[in-house]
């Protein structure tokens, strides 16, 4: 194995050869940061059919050398990373694993580690080392300060040190886990979050509605929900499919989320049309979830909240339509058909997606704060902040409960949301990637044309949230808050 004490400042001959198999969005992100840091020998490949495109794309990057296939990358690399879809990892490693250089350190960037672990153990030569990784953020997010999971599975300490030194240019925060711990943590921090946003998007698409453009869900925490839904659907479907389908813990959570949304919606209907006892059942269920997730021993009173103020979030709202680009967009089909009138700012609604998320955590005994500092993605951190903001504000939560019980203007949207949540749960339970892709891309198509503005505002919003979160965590560390 090459000397672990390496840095980009060393002469070319003293640097390790870094190999990247898979040049999708994350592979390209890794190539970019490694190259910019000064690593001089980076070999990359994708499907053989994409080799001419890689040669063209990196013609002006002397640090990055495209190679025709994974065999060429594998046998030349001291540190080798597979950045491919979770459902493809076994086949790709089966094909290229035997060519791995003696003494090389191998990693995978898959979002679900169980298939990766099995593939590495089965197909990599025994004279290679396994130190895997996973950047817990998307390719458009600045990696500085973000969690980067490192998994020392079959390797001596110096192999881990080599990976730490190579990836130090990301300036991410290393999180050391086992393969099994990784899959549990990612399920706990991402499964329900993704299910919520996927269901919201499908519900709006099914209703043929861009509700924020009608003024129906505008301002405050609605800003976060809308921006994150569009951010998720602007990505590729396989980013979320692997976690949902291949991670058993994620399947359980997605199923419970659909159950929670369904049961809460039924309680809303019976409570709003029934007597005092039926109304009390809905209130009791919500208050139980709040106590389990945010009560004693969960959210420390001295802990500062995650979310920025609603007024600050309004800076990133898509609900305003002042730009020429926005004015040129066609209206929602439902807006044209039904003549909806925008309601007042911050109009109360049931926040069913948030109520269901907290109810799901409560039923499964998940403490969302447990993994917050450890390995939370920006999206999970933000959505937890939204839930925290709602459930820890007596007036906001009371308004949501009252609106869920007695207001009818959002009832059809809540129904669409429940149907969407159950549909996504069934889709995941089938374990069919083609079905998942079809469902995702049908919804994605509805939002085409809205992604550019949403991604710009969403990135700015996440940046603002993360800056305040870094400061909060530093202050709490100094104060000794656990």
């Amino acid at each position: 194995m090459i000397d672990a004490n390496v840095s980009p400042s060393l002469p070319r001959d003293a640097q390790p050869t870094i190999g990247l198999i898979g040049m999708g969005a994350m592979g390209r992100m890794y190539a970019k940061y490694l190259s910019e840091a000064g690593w001089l020998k980076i070999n990359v490949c994708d499907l053989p059919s994409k080799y001419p495109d890689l040669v063209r794309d990196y013609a002006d990057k002397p640090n990055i050398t495209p190679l025709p296939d994974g065999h060429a990358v594998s046998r030349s690399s001291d540190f080798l990373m597979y950045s491919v879809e979770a459902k493809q990892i076994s086949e790709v490693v089966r094909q290229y694993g035997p060519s791995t250089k003696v003494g090389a350190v191998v990693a995978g960037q898959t979002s679900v580690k169980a298939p990766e672990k099995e593939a590495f153990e089965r197909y990599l030569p025994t004279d290679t080392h396994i130190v895997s990784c996973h950047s817990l953020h998307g390719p458009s997010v600045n990696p500085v300060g973000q969690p980067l999971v490192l998994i020392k599975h079959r390797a001596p300490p110096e192999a881990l040190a080599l990976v730490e030194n190579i990836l130090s240019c990301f300036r991410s925060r290393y999180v050391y886990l086992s393969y099994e711990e990784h899959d549990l943590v990612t399920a706990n921090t991402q499964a329900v979050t993704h299910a919520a946003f996927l269901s919201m998007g499908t519900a709006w698409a099914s209703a043929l509605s861009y509700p924020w453009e009608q003024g129906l869900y505008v301002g405050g925490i609605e800003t976060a929900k809308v921006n994150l839904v569009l951010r998720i659907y602007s990505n590729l479907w396989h980013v979320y499919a692997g976690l949902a389908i291949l991670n058993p813990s994620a399947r359980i959570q997605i199923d419970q989320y659909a159950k929670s949304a369904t049961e809460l919606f039924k309680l809303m209907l019976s409570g709003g049309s029934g007597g005092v006892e039926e109304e009390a059942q809905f209130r009791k269920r919500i208050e139980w979830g709040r106590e389990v997730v945010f009560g004693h021993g969960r959210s420390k009173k001295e802990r500062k909240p995650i979310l920025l103020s609603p007024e600050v979030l309004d800076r990133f709202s898509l609900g305003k339509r002042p730009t020429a680009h926005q004015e040129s967009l066609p209206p929602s089909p439902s807006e044209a058909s039904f003549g909806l009138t925008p309601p007042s700012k911050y109009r109360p609604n049931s926040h069913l997606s948030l109520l269901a998320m907290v109810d799901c955590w409560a039923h499964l005994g998940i403490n969302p704060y447990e993994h917050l500092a450890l390995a939370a993605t920006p999206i999970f951190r933000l959505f937890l902040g939204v839930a925290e903001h709602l459930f820890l504000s007596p007036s906001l939560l009371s308004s949501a409960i009252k609106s869920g019980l007695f207001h009818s203007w959002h009832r059809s949207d809540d129904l669409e949301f429940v149907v969407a949540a159950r549909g996504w749960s069934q889709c995941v339970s089938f374990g069919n990637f083609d079905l998942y892709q079809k469902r995702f891309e049908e919804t994605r198509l509805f939002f085409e044309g809205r992604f550019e503005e949403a991604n710009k505002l969403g990135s700015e919003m996440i940046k603002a949230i993360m800056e305040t979160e870094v400061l909060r965590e530093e202050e709490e560390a100094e104060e000794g808050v656990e």
Side-chain angles (χ1 to χ4, degrees), residues 71 78 317 402:
H71 290 298
D78 299 297
S317 176
K402 180 180 179 181

Side-chain angles (χ1 to χ4, degrees), residues 126-182:
T126 56
D127 54 10
T128 61
H129 310 296
I130 301 173
V131 179
S132 200
C133 65
H134 185 198
S135 291
L136 294 180
H137 57 84
S140 62
V141 174
N142 190 325
V144 176
Q146 296 294 339
L148 198 171
V149 174
L150 296 181
I151 301 171
K152 186 172 81 72
H153 179 63
R154 192 183 75 192
E158 54 267 27
L160 175 62
L162 175 68
V163 176
E164 291 172 331
N165 289 331
I166 290 175
L167 300 183
S168 63
C169 58
F170 285 76
R171 295 166 58 201
S172 295
R173 176 170 50 83
Y174 292 143
V175 178
Y176 301 93
L177 300 173
S178 68
Y179 270 123
E180 293 73 21
E181 289 169 339
H182 170 277

Side-chain angles (χ1 to χ4, degrees), residues 372-441:
L372 182 62
L374 179 67
T377 64
I379 289 179
F380 172 78
R381 191 181 293 270
L382 183 53
F383 207 38
L384 174 57
V386 171
E388 183 182 63
H389 185 70
L390 173 65
F391 275 80
L392 296 184
S393 169
S395 61
L396 282 178
L397 188 59
S398 177
S399 294
I401 291 173
K402 180 180 179 181
S403 184
L405 289 169
F406 304 116
H407 294 172
S408 60
W409 71 269
H410 54 74
R411 190 76 74 218
S412 62
D413 291 334
D414 287 343
L415 175 59
E416 291 283 9
F417 176 78
V418 171
V419 173
R422 291 171 68 99
W424 276 110
S425 178
Q426 290 177 336
C427 176
V428 169
S429 71
F430 294 149
N432 188 305
F433 281 94
D434 292 337
L435 179 60
Y436 192 104
Q437 180 181 7
K438 184 175 187 295
R439 186 176 177 85
F440 184 96
E441 291 185 344

